[in-house]
Amino acid sequence: MIEFIESGLFTTVQDLGRTGFRHLGVSLAGALDRQALILANRLTGNGDNDAGLELTAGNMKIKFHRDAWFTLTGAQYEIRIGDRQIWHGWRSKINAGDILQLRGPLSGMRAYLAIDGGINVPVCLGSRSTLMSAELGGYEGRTLRSGDKLTLGEKRSLSKPIGAVQRGYSNEIRALPGPEMALFTQESRKIFWSSQWQVSNDSNRMGARLSGEALALVEEQSLNSHAVMPGTIQVPPSGQPIALLADGQTTGGYPRIATVIEADLWKLAQTRPGSKVQFIHVSPNQADDANYEWEQYFYRLQRAIDANS
Amino acid sequence: MSVTLQPKLFRFGERALVLDCACISINFSKLEIQKRIWSLAKICHDSGEFEDIVPGNNNLTLFFKDSKNIAFWSKKLHKLLSNIEVQAETGKLIKIPVKYGGEYGPDLNKVAEYNNLDPQEVISIHTSTQYSVLFLGFQPGFPYLDGLDKRLFTPRLANPRLSIPAGSVGIGGEQTGIYPAQSPGGWQLIGRSAVSLFDSALTGNNSAQPSLLSPGDTVQFIAIESLNEIEEARLEAPR
């Protein structure tokens, strides 16, 4: 069991999300930076879909009630157990009774804490991830608070620390043109790909709101409601795009100008409000190549982990 | 004039395919198209090749487990759609008790005034229609209903409310519906239901259905008199 002495500002239980229920209006949810959660889980001896904690900001103090191995990935945090400083991206051991202290983020936006055995909250609709808008999954469907206690899954047998280099962040985010790209004026299409978009303060797990020069349609028209998904960049009448993230709603009616590729969605999740991103137009083949690069990264990682255990 | 119209099929992101039937809406009613979409969704579901299958208004989005199968299904879908047999009524009829007006429906009088009706007429028109659930979205269990009587069309509020209670029944433009959970909302609220539209606790096993309504179901609102009836209805909510 782990106990939250300080919970941080916005800490939730997340796995890789909830599939199979989008036709009922249930969002995918799950880690915003999926690759960081998978990395933390692999290093900690967990399955890719085991639940970990997603940390957004603030100081945290977590008391461990059993010996455990843990790894923090994603956004950089200062990590301490008592006076001992722990490396980011390395699995480390903590003893029962000790307190893990986290301060940050120093850079990036969202960190992932995996603990061996995973966080053992009940499975809801096939997933342990928290969907706050519907108050379901995770721990009571909400963010964690001081005093909350979470149980852990079965201990893994691990013997020594091991770490990995995370892939580098850039603010260039690759995207495919969306179904309604052609409805925008030529000028707006050019602006979309060529300008730097600022991530606004209203961004949350549902979507990253972007601000910049307003985009305009050739002519006003109302669309039939259609499915949307994490990565969909939709443009409401204000002309300021919204890139949907994991908790984004399942259907919408705004024109979809583009879709962030799966391999780069993590970059959007790691961009802080106030910072800028630029979208890079790619083809479906380039998107496939980008996914393949991630597979290769995890393949090499797994070989290194296997060789060291 | 005779026009052969094929639904449009296009790729969406890396792993989704969209079937857009908007261009065949000249030949068929909204509900007839939607029935084809439900039938197609069922065939696709049974294939086991999809992570999620989301019907929209006049369209269907298929999320593939493996994007390598997109080319194969692109060819197959056109064939399936032209040969599809629309199934006989498969949905269920769900009656939803609503307490109209007063504190539960703060905009009932406004809707009545806007349409030159008295509040009782609004209730009687709203309850005399059987609405079809076209699809679910926005929130878990939120139904997009077809069939609102033209006499009740009312514009949305100029300023949406920041929070409206779960179970609120409202009219927004040409649509009517029920909010499953507390949320912000811009619709004119005419009543409230105590029926739970979505219950994630009912999902211990795979066969359980967390959503009261599914695409293809029919909804009828029933006017009730008191809060007690609402509470009783909550206990007897069909599922």
Side-chain angles (χ1 to χ4, degrees):
Chain A
M1 191 180 68
I2 56 171
E3 179 182 354
F4 287 80
I5 296 168
E6 280 184 61
S7 63
L9 284 182
F10 198 93
T11 306
T12 54
V13 177
Q14 299 293 345
D15 58 18
L16 293 179
R18 190 170 276 114
T19 58
F21 296 96
R22 279 194 255 186
H23 63 294
L24 302 181
V26 182
S27 312
L28 192 63
L32 294 188
D33 183 343
R34 298 166 65 87
Q35 286 89 348
L37 177 63
I38 294 172
L39 175 63
N41 270 331
R42 293 262 179 117
L43 288 170
T44 318
N46 291 341
D48 288 354
N49 194 34
D50 280 353
L53 296 174
E54 182 178 274
L55 285 53
T56 308
N59 298 340
M60 294 183 64
K61 284 186 185 165
I62 306 171
K63 185 169 184 180
F64 281 69
H65 291 271
R66 77 149 155 86
D67 290 357
W69 290 84
F70 68 89
T71 313
L72 195 81
T73 59
Q76 290 272 345
Y77 271 65
E78 184 192 292
I79 312 166
R80 285 180 181 280
I81 302 169
D83 293 337
R84 186 156 64 103
Q85 187 140 6
I86 308 291
W87 286 350
H88 185 90
W90 279 70
R91 83 171 171 223
S92 312
K93 193 172 182 207
I94 185 165
N95 297 318
D98 283 352
I99 291 172
L100 177 67
Q101 293 189 61
L102 303 166
R103 289 162 66 92
L106 308 173
S107 67
M109 183 69 190
R110 284 157 178 121
Y112 294 86
L113 179 68
I115 300 166
D116 72 309
I119 307 282
N120 190 25
V121 292
V123 173
C124 172
L125 301 174
S127 164
R128 291 188 166 89
S129 56
T130 314
L131 180 60
M132 276 160 307
S133 58
E135 297 175 5
L136 66 86
Y139 183 73
E140 298 178 354
R142 61 169 171 84
T143 57
L144 290 155
R145 299 179 197 139
S146 304
D148 286 341
K149 292 172 184 166
L150 298 178
T151 58
L152 301 173
E154 203 176 322
K155 266 178 81 67
R156 314 275 178 189
S157 64
L158 302 169
S159 57
K160 59 182 176 186
I162 178 174
V165 179
Q166 296 193 41
R167 297 189 74 187
Y169 171 87
S170 86
N171 76 339
E172 294 191 338
I173 295 174
R174 291 168 287 184
L176 300 162
E180 282 82 44
M181 173 66 89
L183 300 185
F184 289 86
T185 64
Q186 206 174 356
E187 180 64 15
S188 287
R189 282 181 259 165
K190 213 172 112 191
I191 291 167
F192 177 76
W193 295 114
S194 64
S195 57
Q196 299 253 331
W197 293 96
Q198 190 175 47
V199 175
S200 100
N201 281 320
D202 317 328
S203 302
N204 53 28
R205 281 189 46 89
M206 292 181 77
R209 289 172 175 267
L210 305 170
S211 56
E213 202 174 330
L215 303 173
L217 296 170
V218 175
E219 57 179 312
E220 286 251 347
Q221 53 180 298
S222 92
L223 297 175
N224 287 328
S225 289
H226 45 238
V228 288
M229 62 199 170
T232 303
I233 304 175
Q234 54 180 22
V235 183
S238 67
Q240 305 291 311
I242 300 169
L244 294 177
L245 298 176
D247 284 3
Q249 59 189 71
T250 55
T251 59
Y254 296 137
R256 299 160 288 188
I257 194 168
T259 306
V260 174
I261 67 171
E262 291 177 12
D264 281 4
L265 202 47
W266 72 278
K267 293 182 192 169
L268 199 56
Q270 292 295 5
T271 304
R272 292 187 180 203
S275 303
K276 290 182 173 172
V277 295
Q278 179 163 3
F279 296 108
I280 309 294
H281 185 163
V282 292
S283 68
N285 281 343
Q286 285 170 300
D288 289 343
D289 290 348
N291 284 327
Y292 183 67
E293 275 175 41
W294 269 112
E295 282 170 28
Q296 291 291 303
Y297 171 85
F298 281 117
Y299 176 73
R300 288 195 304 273
L301 177 82
Q302 195 58 50
R303 286 188 54 149
I305 291 172
D306 293 345
N308 277 285
S309 53
Chain B
M1 189 175 68
S2 153
V3 190
T4 322
L5 290 164
Q6 277 278 3
K8 274 193 288 184
L9 195 61
F10 53 85
R11 209 169 154 169
F12 176 33
E14 290 148 89
R15 285 195 296 144
L17 200 57
V18 181
L19 185 81
D20 182 352
C21 298
C23 61
I24 63 172
S25 58
I26 307 161
N27 303 12
F28 299 99
S29 78
K30 193 180 247 186
L31 193 57
E32 284 168 19
I33 296 172
Q34 212 67 13
K35 281 183 178 171
R36 285 177 160 71
I37 287 172
W38 299 327
S39 297
L40 192 62
K42 184 166 185 319
I43 294 171
C44 293
H45 174 83
D46 292 347
S47 76
E49 292 198 15
F50 300 92
E51 188 175 274
D52 268 292
I53 298 170
V54 183
N57 187 355
N58 248 341
N59 54 60
L60 181 70
T61 303
L62 302 161
F63 293 92
F64 285 78
K65 286 179 182 163
D66 185 345
S67 63
K68 291 188 186 78
N69 298 335
I70 290 184
F72 171 77
W73 276 89
S74 301
K75 286 187 195 139
K76 191 168 172 174
L77 280 172
H78 272 309
K79 219 174 272 174
L80 281 175
L81 197 74
S82 48
N83 298 327
I84 206 131
E85 283 180 30
V86 174
Q87 291 163 337
E89 293 299 312
T90 51
K92 42 192 192 301
L93 169 66
I94 309 265
K95 295 185 176 175
I96 296 185
V98 178
K99 169 68 185 157
Y100 286 92
E103 60 172 311
Y104 298 110
D107 304 322
L108 177 66
N109 291 341
K110 255 192 294 173
V111 170
E113 262 171 55
Y114 181 84
N115 292 296
N116 293 319
L117 299 166
D118 67 48
Q120 202 49 51
E121 286 174 307
V122 172
I123 296 170
S124 112
I125 296 169
H126 197 252
T127 51
S128 63
T129 307
Q130 292 201 339
Y131 302 91
S132 301
V133 179
L134 293 180
F135 65 101
L136 302 176
F138 175 57
Q139 284 179 340
F142 182 95
Y144 285 78
L145 300 176
D146 183 47
L148 182 66
D149 193 296
K150 280 196 175 72
R151 288 172 289 171
L152 297 185
F153 291 1
T154 316
R156 290 168 177 78
L157 300 176
N159 293 307
R161 292 182 170 93
L162 291 177
S163 175
I164 60 172
S168 293
V169 175
I171 288 175
E174 304 179 5
Q175 300 184 88
T176 187
I178 322 153
Y179 288 88
Q182 183 184 310
S183 77
W187 287 15
Q188 309 273 0
L189 305 183
I190 57 171
R192 198 183 306 166
S193 164
V195 172
S196 164
L197 289 183
F198 194 86
D199 189 348
S200 60
L202 285 174
T203 53
N205 60 63
N206 288 335
S207 59
Q209 172 60 276
S211 177
L212 175 64
L213 303 171
S214 299
D217 287 346
T218 306
V219 167
Q220 178 146 26
F221 296 106
I222 311 279
I224 53 167
E225 285 310 312
S226 74
L227 186 67
N228 288 344
E229 276 186 80
I230 289 187
E231 287 304 321
E232 281 160 26
R234 186 198 293 278
L235 296 172
E236 291 165 12
R239 195 155 295 271

